[in-house]
Amino acid sequence: MGKYVQAQRKGKSPIFKAHVRTRKGAVKLRSIDYAERRGYVRGVIKDIMHDPGRGAPVAKVQFLNAYRYKRDTELMVATEGMYTGQFIYCGKKATLTIGNVLPLSQVPEGTIVCNVEAKVGDRGAFARGSGCFAVVISHDEDKGTTRLRLPSGGKKTVKSDVRAQIGVVAGGGRTDKPLLKAGRAYHKYAVKRNCWPKIRGVAKNPVEHPFGGGNHQHIGRPSTVSKEAPAGRKVGLIGARRTGRLRGVKKLGQDRD
């Protein structure tokens, strides 16, 4: 065997860690408490900031602490239409207004939501990228679950107690403008992590990649590889169920149900 391939180094080397020094902090919903479960809490948007390495802006929201004489500052996903000085309300009895945080059980079908929790109290998991949103499809009141359509087009069933922000994540349309030059791509990824430029396996030497070498750039072996393959060989289409072009009419999630 030759060198360690890049995929192996990514798991171990500190060179590939995320660049977090300049980031503003973890972007989450409030920790769930009695006030949110029974009524609502009011917060005010103090600032809308850019977070390096994130496509969507971040809102700095200030709440009064219910138990001590102090204010709590939370970083939340900024939704389209938010502005500084706006009051937002979090809780079961909050109104259905853009930026507010409600349990899905209080949200009617067809509502556009974002920053949805996967489990109660995890403070936001789905539809958090710029321009993303999920749609509430239906409620099953007997089981206490809600069906969502996620930004990927897939469907997901979650508990109706999970919270979500109303509206679309701000910063949409970011990918419509092309990067055009390598310098912009360099700066885009410099604040994220070391993942650019990506060199194809066939362009490498045989010591650096299983697909490397040869007088023409060709793979020279099947591109599919077993899930049980050793680390240095595990490149290409790992544990693929099927390969090739998707032909015929694609059945979307909404057509299937």
Side-chain angles (χ1 to χ4, degrees):
M1 224 173 124
K3 293 182 178 180
Y4 285 116
V5 301
Q6 192 176 11
Q8 288 173 285
R9 291 175 52 225
K10 277 193 172 176
K12 184 181 179 191
S13 165
I15 292 167
F16 298 98
K17 284 202 297 195
H19 301 166
V20 294
R21 183 179 58 84
T22 55
R23 298 206 184 161
K24 298 289 185 284
V27 175
K28 298 179 176 182
L29 300 173
R30 281 180 83 249
S31 287
I32 195 161
D33 57 6
Y34 182 85
E36 272 202 48
R37 284 203 185 93
R38 302 286 170 168
Y40 64 85
V41 184
R42 188 178 80 169
V44 63
I45 298 171
K46 286 289 182 188
D47 196 7
I48 292 175
M49 307 179 289
H50 167 67
D51 189 17
R54 183 189 294 271
V58 168
K60 188 193 274 187
V61 187
Q62 212 169 63
F63 295 93
L64 283 175
N65 189 301
Y67 305 102
R68 286 182 177 73
Y69 180 65
K70 64 173 186 175
R71 290 187 169 93
D72 295 329
T73 304
E74 302 284 349
L75 287 177
M76 292 166 81
V77 169
T79 53
E80 249 174 58
M82 265 189 182
Y83 54 89
T84 53
Q86 179 187 353
F87 288 126
I88 63 165
Y89 299 89
C90 304
K92 187 180 178 184
K93 303 236 171 115
T95 55
L96 195 74
T97 315
I98 283 181
N100 286 1
V101 179
L102 282 80
L104 285 181
S105 55
Q106 303 297 310
V107 174
E109 292 168 7
T111 308
I112 285 174
V113 293
C114 63
N115 199 11
V116 189
E117 293 181 322
K119 299 183 179 72
V120 179
D122 75 2
R123 303 176 72 183
F126 305 127
R128 291 161 54 94
S130 55
C132 287
F133 62 89
V135 182
V136 178
I137 300 172
S138 60
H139 295 294
D140 187 339
E141 288 176 11
D142 300 334
K143 290 181 185 164
T145 58
T146 298
R147 199 133 169 81
L148 297 170
R149 184 177 308 127
L150 298 180
S152 61
K155 295 193 173 173
K156 181 109 187 142
T157 305
V158 292
K159 292 190 74 170
S160 295
D161 302 342
V162 303
R163 297 170 296 162
Q165 263 177 275
I166 309 298
V168 181
V169 182
R174 176 173 50 85
T175 53
D176 296 349
K177 182 182 175 186
L179 290 172
L180 285 180
K181 55 184 194 172
R184 290 195 186 141
Y186 168 82
H187 289 295
K188 175 185 172 178
Y189 291 105
V191 288
K192 288 178 181 281
R193 67 202 74 79
N194 178 10
C195 62
W196 184 89
K198 269 199 169 67
I199 302 170
R200 292 165 302 134
V202 290
K204 296 183 181 178
N205 296 314
V207 288
E208 289 145 0
H209 199 277
F211 296 167
N215 282 347
H216 297 283
Q217 284 192 3
H218 69 293
I219 293 178
R221 56 174 75 204
S223 58
T224 54
V225 61
S226 159
K227 275 192 283 197
E228 275 76 44
R233 173 69 185 89
K234 210 169 178 183
V235 293
L237 305 167
I238 298 166
R241 289 200 172 93
R242 66 178 301 288
T243 60
R245 199 157 59 89
L246 288 165
R247 308 193 65 165
V249 181
K250 187 185 176 195
K251 277 202 162 62
L252 289 171
Q254 59 251 46
D255 305 334
R256 226 172 282 141
D257 294 348

